[in-house]
Amino acid sequence: MICKNYTVSGEDVNDIMEMESTAYIAYTIRLLYHFLFDNGFSREKLNALHLGLQEADNEFICYRNLMFTESFFVEMKHCQIDDKINIKSSFFNAKNECCAEVSKEVKWFDHTLGQIITTPAQIRRHFNH
C-alpha cells in the first residue's frame, strides 16, 4: 500500500540503543498520516473537517531489534476499515529482513461532536483500492 524509509533516531531508542516499542507504533501512525496525505487528506484538511485519529489497541511483535542510526523502512501492508481502522505495518532493515510488525487499531474522532465516529465515506474509498 505505502512504504517509507527512515533512520532510527536518538528519541526512538532506549538506554541500550535499541528502538523502543512506542517508536514502532509512532512510525505506524506516521505512515498512516502519509497515506492520508497522499490521498488528499492532509492534517490541515482533517482539522478543517474536525476529524482526528484516536489510537486504540495495538499488537507489537519484534523479531530483531533495530539499532540507533540504522536505516529501515516501514510498509503498511494491510488496512481494513469497518467502524474502526485496522492496519498492519512491517519494519525491515537495510538487508530487507523483517524486524518487527505492528497491528494497530485506530478510530476516527469528530472534534465537533466530541465522540468516536465511523470512517467518513470520502476517506474510506481511498483505503479500498
PDB file of all heavy atoms in Angstrom, residues 54-86:
ATOM      1  N   GLN A  54      -7.857   8.609  16.845  1.00  0.00           N
ATOM      2  CA  GLN A  54      -7.696   8.192  18.238  1.00  0.00           C
ATOM      3  C   GLN A  54      -7.160   6.769  18.228  1.00  0.00           C
ATOM      4  O   GLN A  54      -7.773   5.863  17.673  1.00  0.00           O
ATOM      5  CB  GLN A  54      -9.019   8.266  18.987  1.00  0.00           C
ATOM      6  CG  GLN A  54      -8.858   7.984  20.457  1.00  0.00           C
ATOM      7  CD  GLN A  54     -10.158   8.207  21.195  1.00  0.00           C
ATOM      8  OE1 GLN A  54     -11.175   7.625  20.852  1.00  0.00           O
ATOM      9  NE2 GLN A  54     -10.103   9.048  22.207  1.00  0.00           N
ATOM     10  N   GLU A  55      -5.985   6.615  18.823  1.00  0.00           N
ATOM     11  CA  GLU A  55      -5.350   5.307  18.862  1.00  0.00           C
ATOM     12  C   GLU A  55      -6.061   4.410  19.859  1.00  0.00           C
ATOM     13  O   GLU A  55      -6.507   4.856  20.901  1.00  0.00           O
ATOM     14  CB  GLU A  55      -3.880   5.440  19.238  1.00  0.00           C
ATOM     15  CG  GLU A  55      -3.074   6.226  18.213  1.00  0.00           C
ATOM     16  CD  GLU A  55      -1.615   6.315  18.568  1.00  0.00           C
ATOM     17  OE1 GLU A  55      -1.032   5.291  18.956  1.00  0.00           O
ATOM     18  OE2 GLU A  55      -1.067   7.415  18.444  1.00  0.00           O
ATOM     19  N   ALA A  56      -6.148   3.141  19.485  1.00  0.00           N
ATOM     20  CA  ALA A  56      -6.768   2.150  20.365  1.00  0.00           C
ATOM     21  C   ALA A  56      -5.774   1.010  20.552  1.00  0.00           C
ATOM     22  O   ALA A  56      -4.587   1.259  20.735  1.00  0.00           O
ATOM     23  CB  ALA A  56      -8.084   1.686  19.768  1.00  0.00           C
ATOM     24  N   ASP A  57      -6.238  -0.201  20.461  1.00  0.00           N
ATOM     25  CA  ASP A  57      -5.405  -1.371  20.711  1.00  0.00           C
ATOM     26  C   ASP A  57      -4.296  -1.516  19.682  1.00  0.00           C
ATOM     27  O   ASP A  57      -4.431  -1.101  18.538  1.00  0.00           O
ATOM     28  CB  ASP A  57      -6.259  -2.633  20.685  1.00  0.00           C
ATOM     29  CG  ASP A  57      -7.304  -2.633  21.789  1.00  0.00           C
ATOM     30  OD1 ASP A  57      -7.055  -2.010  22.843  1.00  0.00           O
ATOM     31  OD2 ASP A  57      -8.365  -3.252  21.594  1.00  0.00           O
ATOM     32  N   ASN A  58      -3.196  -2.149  20.112  1.00  0.00           N
ATOM     33  CA  ASN A  58      -2.137  -2.492  19.179  1.00  0.00           C
ATOM     34  C   ASN A  58      -1.449  -3.766  19.637  1.00  0.00           C
ATOM     35  O   ASN A  58      -1.525  -4.151  20.798  1.00  0.00           O
ATOM     36  CB  ASN A  58      -1.131  -1.351  19.019  1.00  0.00           C
ATOM     37  CG  ASN A  58      -0.416  -1.011  20.295  1.00  0.00           C
ATOM     38  OD1 ASN A  58       0.362  -1.804  20.820  1.00  0.00           O
ATOM     39  ND2 ASN A  58      -0.670   0.167  20.830  1.00  0.00           N
ATOM     40  N   GLU A  59      -0.833  -4.408  18.677  1.00  0.00           N
ATOM     41  CA  GLU A  59      -0.040  -5.601  18.951  1.00  0.00           C
ATOM     42  C   GLU A  59       1.317  -5.389  18.314  1.00  0.00           C
ATOM     43  O   GLU A  59       1.420  -5.037  17.135  1.00  0.00           O
ATOM     44  CB  GLU A  59      -0.707  -6.840  18.353  1.00  0.00           C
ATOM     45  CG  GLU A  59       0.047  -8.120  18.605  1.00  0.00           C
ATOM     46  CD  GLU A  59      -0.613  -9.322  17.951  1.00  0.00           C
ATOM     47  OE1 GLU A  59      -1.841  -9.301  17.748  1.00  0.00           O
ATOM     48  OE2 GLU A  59       0.120 -10.261  17.630  1.00  0.00           O
ATOM     49  N   PHE A  60       2.364  -5.576  19.090  1.00  0.00           N
ATOM     50  CA  PHE A  60       3.731  -5.365  18.623  1.00  0.00           C
ATOM     51  C   PHE A  60       4.504  -6.671  18.731  1.00  0.00           C
ATOM     52  O   PHE A  60       4.508  -7.313  19.785  1.00  0.00           O
ATOM     53  CB  PHE A  60       4.402  -4.268  19.475  1.00  0.00           C
ATOM     54  CG  PHE A  60       5.865  -4.136  19.234  1.00  0.00           C
ATOM     55  CD1 PHE A  60       6.342  -3.646  18.030  1.00  0.00           C
ATOM     56  CD2 PHE A  60       6.782  -4.497  20.209  1.00  0.00           C
ATOM     57  CE1 PHE A  60       7.702  -3.524  17.804  1.00  0.00           C
ATOM     58  CE2 PHE A  60       8.143  -4.367  19.998  1.00  0.00           C
ATOM     59  CZ  PHE A  60       8.600  -3.884  18.787  1.00  0.00           C
ATOM     60  N   ILE A  61       5.130  -7.063  17.638  1.00  0.00           N
ATOM     61  CA  ILE A  61       5.972  -8.261  17.629  1.00  0.00           C
ATOM     62  C   ILE A  61       7.344  -7.853  17.098  1.00  0.00           C
ATOM     63  O   ILE A  61       7.450  -7.303  15.998  1.00  0.00           O
ATOM     64  CB  ILE A  61       5.387  -9.368  16.718  1.00  0.00           C
ATOM     65  CG1 ILE A  61       3.989  -9.755  17.177  1.00  0.00           C
ATOM     66  CG2 ILE A  61       6.310 -10.581  16.692  1.00  0.00           C
ATOM     67  CD1 ILE A  61       3.243 -10.637  16.204  1.00  0.00           C
ATOM     68  N   CYS A  62       8.385  -8.121  17.892  1.00  0.00           N
ATOM     69  CA  CYS A  62       9.747  -7.795  17.488  1.00  0.00           C
ATOM     70  C   CYS A  62      10.503  -9.084  17.192  1.00  0.00           C
ATOM     71  O   CYS A  62      10.590  -9.961  18.043  1.00  0.00           O
ATOM     72  CB  CYS A  62      10.450  -7.007  18.587  1.00  0.00           C
ATOM     73  SG  CYS A  62      12.103  -6.452  18.115  1.00  0.00           S
ATOM     74  N   TYR A  63      11.041  -9.165  15.982  1.00  0.00           N
ATOM     75  CA  TYR A  63      11.826 -10.329  15.577  1.00  0.00           C
ATOM     76  C   TYR A  63      13.322 -10.060  15.727  1.00  0.00           C
ATOM     77  O   TYR A  63      14.095 -10.958  16.031  1.00  0.00           O
ATOM     78  CB  TYR A  63      11.536 -10.701  14.118  1.00  0.00           C
ATOM     79  CG  TYR A  63      10.069 -10.931  13.850  1.00  0.00           C
ATOM     80  CD1 TYR A  63       9.332 -10.057  13.074  1.00  0.00           C
ATOM     81  CD2 TYR A  63       9.413 -12.045  14.377  1.00  0.00           C
ATOM     82  CE1 TYR A  63       7.995 -10.269  12.816  1.00  0.00           C
ATOM     83  CE2 TYR A  63       8.065 -12.265  14.136  1.00  0.00           C
ATOM     84  CZ  TYR A  63       7.364 -11.367  13.352  1.00  0.00           C
ATOM     85  OH  TYR A  63       6.027 -11.580  13.116  1.00  0.00           O
ATOM     86  N   ARG A  64      13.702  -8.812  15.478  1.00  0.00           N
ATOM     87  CA  ARG A  64      15.106  -8.401  15.518  1.00  0.00           C
ATOM     88  C   ARG A  64      15.109  -6.904  15.827  1.00  0.00           C
ATOM     89  O   ARG A  64      14.377  -6.148  15.213  1.00  0.00           O
ATOM     90  CB  ARG A  64      15.732  -8.685  14.148  1.00  0.00           C
ATOM     91  CG  ARG A  64      17.094  -8.126  13.954  1.00  0.00           C
ATOM     92  CD  ARG A  64      17.664  -8.527  12.602  1.00  0.00           C
ATOM     93  NE  ARG A  64      18.050  -9.932  12.712  1.00  0.00           N
ATOM     94  CZ  ARG A  64      17.797 -10.854  11.796  1.00  0.00           C
ATOM     95  NH1 ARG A  64      17.159 -10.540  10.696  1.00  0.00           N
ATOM     96  NH2 ARG A  64      18.180 -12.092  11.968  1.00  0.00           N
ATOM     97  N   ASN A  65      15.926  -6.489  16.768  1.00  0.00           N
ATOM     98  CA  ASN A  65      15.953  -5.082  17.169  1.00  0.00           C
ATOM     99  C   ASN A  65      16.583  -4.195  16.106  1.00  0.00           C
ATOM    100  O   ASN A  65      17.608  -4.550  15.522  1.00  0.00           O
ATOM    101  CB  ASN A  65      16.733  -4.911  18.471  1.00  0.00           C
ATOM    102  CG  ASN A  65      16.010  -5.502  19.650  1.00  0.00           C
ATOM    103  OD1 ASN A  65      14.824  -5.266  19.820  1.00  0.00           O
ATOM    104  ND2 ASN A  65      16.694  -6.290  20.450  1.00  0.00           N
ATOM    105  N   LEU A  66      15.947  -3.052  15.875  1.00  0.00           N
ATOM    106  CA  LEU A  66      16.569  -2.002  15.077  1.00  0.00           C
ATOM    107  C   LEU A  66      17.386  -1.143  16.041  1.00  0.00           C
ATOM    108  O   LEU A  66      16.931  -0.834  17.144  1.00  0.00           O
ATOM    109  CB  LEU A  66      15.508  -1.162  14.368  1.00  0.00           C
ATOM    110  CG  LEU A  66      14.781  -1.862  13.222  1.00  0.00           C
ATOM    111  CD1 LEU A  66      13.578  -1.049  12.766  1.00  0.00           C
ATOM    112  CD2 LEU A  66      15.727  -2.093  12.061  1.00  0.00           C
ATOM    113  N   MET A  67      18.576  -0.761  15.618  1.00  0.00           N
ATOM    114  CA  MET A  67      19.507  -0.050  16.482  1.00  0.00           C
ATOM    115  C   MET A  67      19.650   1.419  16.063  1.00  0.00           C
ATOM    116  O   MET A  67      19.362   1.788  14.920  1.00  0.00           O
ATOM    117  CB  MET A  67      20.880  -0.727  16.449  1.00  0.00           C
ATOM    118  CG  MET A  67      20.853  -2.210  16.826  1.00  0.00           C
ATOM    119  SD  MET A  67      20.210  -2.543  18.466  1.00  0.00           S
ATOM    120  CE  MET A  67      21.537  -1.919  19.464  1.00  0.00           C
ATOM    121  N   PHE A  68      20.138   2.234  16.976  1.00  0.00           N
ATOM    122  CA  PHE A  68      20.373   3.659  16.754  1.00  0.00           C
ATOM    123  C   PHE A  68      21.174   3.865  15.469  1.00  0.00           C
ATOM    124  O   PHE A  68      22.148   3.175  15.216  1.00  0.00           O
ATOM    125  CB  PHE A  68      21.122   4.234  17.965  1.00  0.00           C
ATOM    126  CG  PHE A  68      21.465   5.687  17.834  1.00  0.00           C
ATOM    127  CD1 PHE A  68      20.475   6.634  17.669  1.00  0.00           C
ATOM    128  CD2 PHE A  68      22.784   6.096  17.886  1.00  0.00           C
ATOM    129  CE1 PHE A  68      20.793   7.985  17.567  1.00  0.00           C
ATOM    130  CE2 PHE A  68      23.118   7.436  17.790  1.00  0.00           C
ATOM    131  CZ  PHE A  68      22.113   8.376  17.625  1.00  0.00           C
ATOM    132  N   THR A  69      20.750   4.783  14.649  1.00  0.00           N
ATOM    133  CA  THR A  69      21.300   5.199  13.344  1.00  0.00           C
ATOM    134  C   THR A  69      21.098   4.170  12.228  1.00  0.00           C
ATOM    135  O   THR A  69      21.529   4.399  11.106  1.00  0.00           O
ATOM    136  CB  THR A  69      22.802   5.592  13.397  1.00  0.00           C
ATOM    137  OG1 THR A  69      23.603   4.432  13.584  1.00  0.00           O
ATOM    138  CG2 THR A  69      23.081   6.649  14.455  1.00  0.00           C
ATOM    139  N   GLU A  70      20.437   3.085  12.499  1.00  0.00           N
ATOM    140  CA  GLU A  70      20.194   2.074  11.469  1.00  0.00           C
ATOM    141  C   GLU A  70      19.085   2.541  10.526  1.00  0.00           C
ATOM    142  O   GLU A  70      18.051   3.052  10.956  1.00  0.00           O
ATOM    143  CB  GLU A  70      19.804   0.748  12.122  1.00  0.00           C
ATOM    144  CG  GLU A  70      19.689  -0.410  11.167  1.00  0.00           C
ATOM    145  CD  GLU A  70      19.453  -1.747  11.870  1.00  0.00           C
ATOM    146  OE1 GLU A  70      19.333  -1.784  13.107  1.00  0.00           O
ATOM    147  OE2 GLU A  70      19.393  -2.753  11.154  1.00  0.00           O
ATOM    148  N   SER A  71      19.303   2.346   9.244  1.00  0.00           N
ATOM    149  CA  SER A  71      18.284   2.661   8.244  1.00  0.00           C
ATOM    150  C   SER A  71      17.261   1.531   8.211  1.00  0.00           C
ATOM    151  O   SER A  71      17.612   0.365   8.375  1.00  0.00           O
ATOM    152  CB  SER A  71      18.915   2.801   6.859  1.00  0.00           C
ATOM    153  OG  SER A  71      19.781   3.895   6.836  1.00  0.00           O
ATOM    154  N   PHE A  72      16.005   1.896   7.992  1.00  0.00           N
ATOM    155  CA  PHE A  72      14.939   0.907   7.906  1.00  0.00           C
ATOM    156  C   PHE A  72      13.810   1.480   7.074  1.00  0.00           C
ATOM    157  O   PHE A  72      13.782   2.667   6.768  1.00  0.00           O
ATOM    158  CB  PHE A  72      14.441   0.500   9.303  1.00  0.00           C
ATOM    159  CG  PHE A  72      13.710   1.576  10.056  1.00  0.00           C
ATOM    160  CD1 PHE A  72      12.321   1.629  10.046  1.00  0.00           C
ATOM    161  CD2 PHE A  72      14.403   2.533  10.777  1.00  0.00           C
ATOM    162  CE1 PHE A  72      11.644   2.615  10.746  1.00  0.00           C
ATOM    163  CE2 PHE A  72      13.732   3.523  11.483  1.00  0.00           C
ATOM    164  CZ  PHE A  72      12.353   3.563  11.467  1.00  0.00           C
ATOM    165  N   PHE A  73      12.905   0.612   6.680  1.00  0.00           N
ATOM    166  CA  PHE A  73      11.698   1.100   6.027  1.00  0.00           C
ATOM    167  C   PHE A  73      10.485   0.415   6.627  1.00  0.00           C
ATOM    168  O   PHE A  73      10.567  -0.683   7.165  1.00  0.00           O
ATOM    169  CB  PHE A  73      11.753   0.963   4.496  1.00  0.00           C
ATOM    170  CG  PHE A  73      11.707  -0.434   3.954  1.00  0.00           C
ATOM    171  CD1 PHE A  73      10.496  -1.004   3.572  1.00  0.00           C
ATOM    172  CD2 PHE A  73      12.869  -1.163   3.782  1.00  0.00           C
ATOM    173  CE1 PHE A  73      10.452  -2.288   3.047  1.00  0.00           C
ATOM    174  CE2 PHE A  73      12.835  -2.445   3.251  1.00  0.00           C
ATOM    175  CZ  PHE A  73      11.629  -3.013   2.882  1.00  0.00           C
ATOM    176  N   VAL A  74       9.379   1.146   6.568  1.00  0.00           N
ATOM    177  CA  VAL A  74       8.108   0.671   7.102  1.00  0.00           C
ATOM    178  C   VAL A  74       7.163   0.516   5.922  1.00  0.00           C
ATOM    179  O   VAL A  74       7.061   1.399   5.076  1.00  0.00           O
ATOM    180  CB  VAL A  74       7.503   1.670   8.115  1.00  0.00           C
ATOM    181  CG1 VAL A  74       6.246   1.095   8.739  1.00  0.00           C
ATOM    182  CG2 VAL A  74       8.496   2.081   9.152  1.00  0.00           C
ATOM    183  N   GLU A  75       6.469  -0.598   5.910  1.00  0.00           N
ATOM    184  CA  GLU A  75       5.489  -0.857   4.860  1.00  0.00           C
ATOM    185  C   GLU A  75       4.139  -1.142   5.505  1.00  0.00           C
ATOM    186  O   GLU A  75       4.036  -2.016   6.360  1.00  0.00           O
ATOM    187  CB  GLU A  75       5.937  -2.054   4.028  1.00  0.00           C
ATOM    188  CG  GLU A  75       5.002  -2.395   2.905  1.00  0.00           C
ATOM    189  CD  GLU A  75       5.486  -3.587   2.101  1.00  0.00           C
ATOM    190  OE1 GLU A  75       6.233  -4.429   2.618  1.00  0.00           O
ATOM    191  OE2 GLU A  75       5.080  -3.668   0.932  1.00  0.00           O
ATOM    192  N   MET A  76       3.141  -0.343   5.124  1.00  0.00           N
ATOM    193  CA  MET A  76       1.782  -0.627   5.571  1.00  0.00           C
ATOM    194  C   MET A  76       1.222  -1.634   4.572  1.00  0.00           C
ATOM    195  O   MET A  76       0.958  -1.303   3.418  1.00  0.00           O
ATOM    196  CB  MET A  76       0.927   0.641   5.624  1.00  0.00           C
ATOM    197  CG  MET A  76      -0.440   0.386   6.203  1.00  0.00           C
ATOM    198  SD  MET A  76      -1.422   1.859   6.613  1.00  0.00           S
ATOM    199  CE  MET A  76      -1.421   2.786   5.124  1.00  0.00           C
ATOM    200  N   LYS A  77       1.079  -2.867   5.027  1.00  0.00           N
ATOM    201  CA  LYS A  77       0.697  -3.960   4.138  1.00  0.00           C
ATOM    202  C   LYS A  77      -0.797  -4.221   4.115  1.00  0.00           C
ATOM    203  O   LYS A  77      -1.310  -4.772   3.154  1.00  0.00           O
ATOM    204  CB  LYS A  77       1.391  -5.245   4.586  1.00  0.00           C
ATOM    205  CG  LYS A  77       2.867  -5.253   4.388  1.00  0.00           C
ATOM    206  CD  LYS A  77       3.424  -6.598   4.768  1.00  0.00           C
ATOM    207  CE  LYS A  77       4.839  -6.746   4.293  1.00  0.00           C
ATOM    208  NZ  LYS A  77       5.323  -8.103   4.455  1.00  0.00           N
ATOM    209  N   HIS A  78      -1.466  -3.885   5.165  1.00  0.00           N
ATOM    210  CA  HIS A  78      -2.870  -4.273   5.306  1.00  0.00           C
ATOM    211  C   HIS A  78      -3.636  -3.124   5.952  1.00  0.00           C
ATOM    212  O   HIS A  78      -3.152  -2.490   6.871  1.00  0.00           O
ATOM    213  CB  HIS A  78      -2.964  -5.523   6.186  1.00  0.00           C
ATOM    214  CG  HIS A  78      -4.347  -5.873   6.602  1.00  0.00           C
ATOM    215  ND1 HIS A  78      -5.229  -6.513   5.766  1.00  0.00           N
ATOM    216  CD2 HIS A  78      -5.012  -5.669   7.760  1.00  0.00           C
ATOM    217  CE1 HIS A  78      -6.372  -6.683   6.398  1.00  0.00           C
ATOM    218  NE2 HIS A  78      -6.264  -6.182   7.611  1.00  0.00           N
ATOM    219  N   CYS A  79      -4.811  -2.891   5.435  1.00  0.00           N
ATOM    220  CA  CYS A  79      -5.684  -1.897   6.051  1.00  0.00           C
ATOM    221  C   CYS A  79      -7.124  -2.346   5.839  1.00  0.00           C
ATOM    222  O   CYS A  79      -7.552  -2.586   4.718  1.00  0.00           O
ATOM    223  CB  CYS A  79      -5.462  -0.533   5.426  1.00  0.00           C
ATOM    224  SG  CYS A  79      -6.420   0.740   6.227  1.00  0.00           S
ATOM    225  N   GLN A  80      -7.833  -2.483   6.937  1.00  0.00           N
ATOM    226  CA  GLN A  80      -9.248  -2.883   6.880  1.00  0.00           C
ATOM    227  C   GLN A  80     -10.054  -1.828   7.613  1.00  0.00           C
ATOM    228  O   GLN A  80      -9.718  -1.434   8.733  1.00  0.00           O
ATOM    229  CB  GLN A  80      -9.439  -4.243   7.543  1.00  0.00           C
ATOM    230  CG  GLN A  80     -10.879  -4.693   7.572  1.00  0.00           C
ATOM    231  CD  GLN A  80     -11.046  -6.011   8.321  1.00  0.00           C
ATOM    232  OE1 GLN A  80     -10.083  -6.638   8.736  1.00  0.00           O
ATOM    233  NE2 GLN A  80     -12.284  -6.421   8.495  1.00  0.00           N
ATOM    234  N   ILE A  81     -11.120  -1.391   6.973  1.00  0.00           N
ATOM    235  CA  ILE A  81     -11.949  -0.363   7.585  1.00  0.00           C
ATOM    236  C   ILE A  81     -13.363  -0.875   7.764  1.00  0.00           C
ATOM    237  O   ILE A  81     -14.006  -1.308   6.815  1.00  0.00           O
ATOM    238  CB  ILE A  81     -11.970   0.922   6.748  1.00  0.00           C
ATOM    239  CG1 ILE A  81     -10.567   1.502   6.662  1.00  0.00           C
ATOM    240  CG2 ILE A  81     -12.926   1.933   7.335  1.00  0.00           C
ATOM    241  CD1 ILE A  81     -10.478   2.767   5.882  1.00  0.00           C
ATOM    242  N   ASP A  82     -13.811  -0.847   8.994  1.00  0.00           N
ATOM    243  CA  ASP A  82     -15.208  -1.081   9.331  1.00  0.00           C
ATOM    244  C   ASP A  82     -15.610   0.132  10.167  1.00  0.00           C
ATOM    245  O   ASP A  82     -15.502   1.246   9.692  1.00  0.00           O
ATOM    246  CB  ASP A  82     -15.372  -2.396  10.103  1.00  0.00           C
ATOM    247  CG  ASP A  82     -15.077  -3.606   9.215  1.00  0.00           C
ATOM    248  OD1 ASP A  82     -15.595  -3.648   8.084  1.00  0.00           O
ATOM    249  OD2 ASP A  82     -14.322  -4.486   9.653  1.00  0.00           O
ATOM    250  N   ASP A  83     -16.013  -0.077  11.401  1.00  0.00           N
ATOM    251  CA  ASP A  83     -16.260   1.059  12.292  1.00  0.00           C
ATOM    252  C   ASP A  83     -14.956   1.652  12.795  1.00  0.00           C
ATOM    253  O   ASP A  83     -14.929   2.745  13.337  1.00  0.00           O
ATOM    254  CB  ASP A  83     -17.121   0.631  13.482  1.00  0.00           C
ATOM    255  CG  ASP A  83     -18.550   0.325  13.063  1.00  0.00           C
ATOM    256  OD1 ASP A  83     -18.978   0.835  12.006  1.00  0.00           O
ATOM    257  OD2 ASP A  83     -19.224  -0.421  13.789  1.00  0.00           O
ATOM    258  N   LYS A  84     -13.888   0.904  12.634  1.00  0.00           N
ATOM    259  CA  LYS A  84     -12.561   1.357  13.032  1.00  0.00           C
ATOM    260  C   LYS A  84     -11.586   0.971  11.932  1.00  0.00           C
ATOM    261  O   LYS A  84     -11.924   0.243  11.009  1.00  0.00           O
ATOM    262  CB  LYS A  84     -12.164   0.734  14.366  1.00  0.00           C
ATOM    263  CG  LYS A  84     -12.207  -0.764  14.343  1.00  0.00           C
ATOM    264  CD  LYS A  84     -12.066  -1.350  15.717  1.00  0.00           C
ATOM    265  CE  LYS A  84     -12.312  -2.839  15.651  1.00  0.00           C
ATOM    266  NZ  LYS A  84     -13.280  -3.317  16.571  1.00  0.00           N
ATOM    267  N   ILE A  85     -10.367   1.469  12.016  1.00  0.00           N
ATOM    268  CA  ILE A  85      -9.331   1.159  11.040  1.00  0.00           C
ATOM    269  C   ILE A  85      -8.377   0.165  11.685  1.00  0.00           C
ATOM    270  O   ILE A  85      -7.875   0.401  12.785  1.00  0.00           O
ATOM    271  CB  ILE A  85      -8.544   2.425  10.646  1.00  0.00           C
ATOM    272  CG1 ILE A  85      -9.481   3.496  10.096  1.00  0.00           C
ATOM    273  CG2 ILE A  85      -7.460   2.090   9.634  1.00  0.00           C
ATOM    274  CD1 ILE A  85      -8.815   4.849   9.929  1.00  0.00           C
ATOM    275  N   ASN A  86      -8.131  -0.933  11.014  1.00  0.00           N
ATOM    276  CA  ASN A  86      -7.128  -1.902  11.446  1.00  0.00           C
ATOM    277  C   ASN A  86      -6.023  -1.918  10.409  1.00  0.00           C
ATOM    278  O   ASN A  86      -6.284  -2.166   9.232  1.00  0.00           O
ATOM    279  CB  ASN A  86      -7.737  -3.304  11.586  1.00  0.00           C
ATOM    280  CG  ASN A  86      -8.667  -3.386  12.768  1.00  0.00           C
ATOM    281  OD1 ASN A  86      -8.268  -3.127  13.892  1.00  0.00           O
ATOM    282  ND2 ASN A  86      -9.917  -3.719  12.516  1.00  0.00           N
TER     283      ASN A  86
END
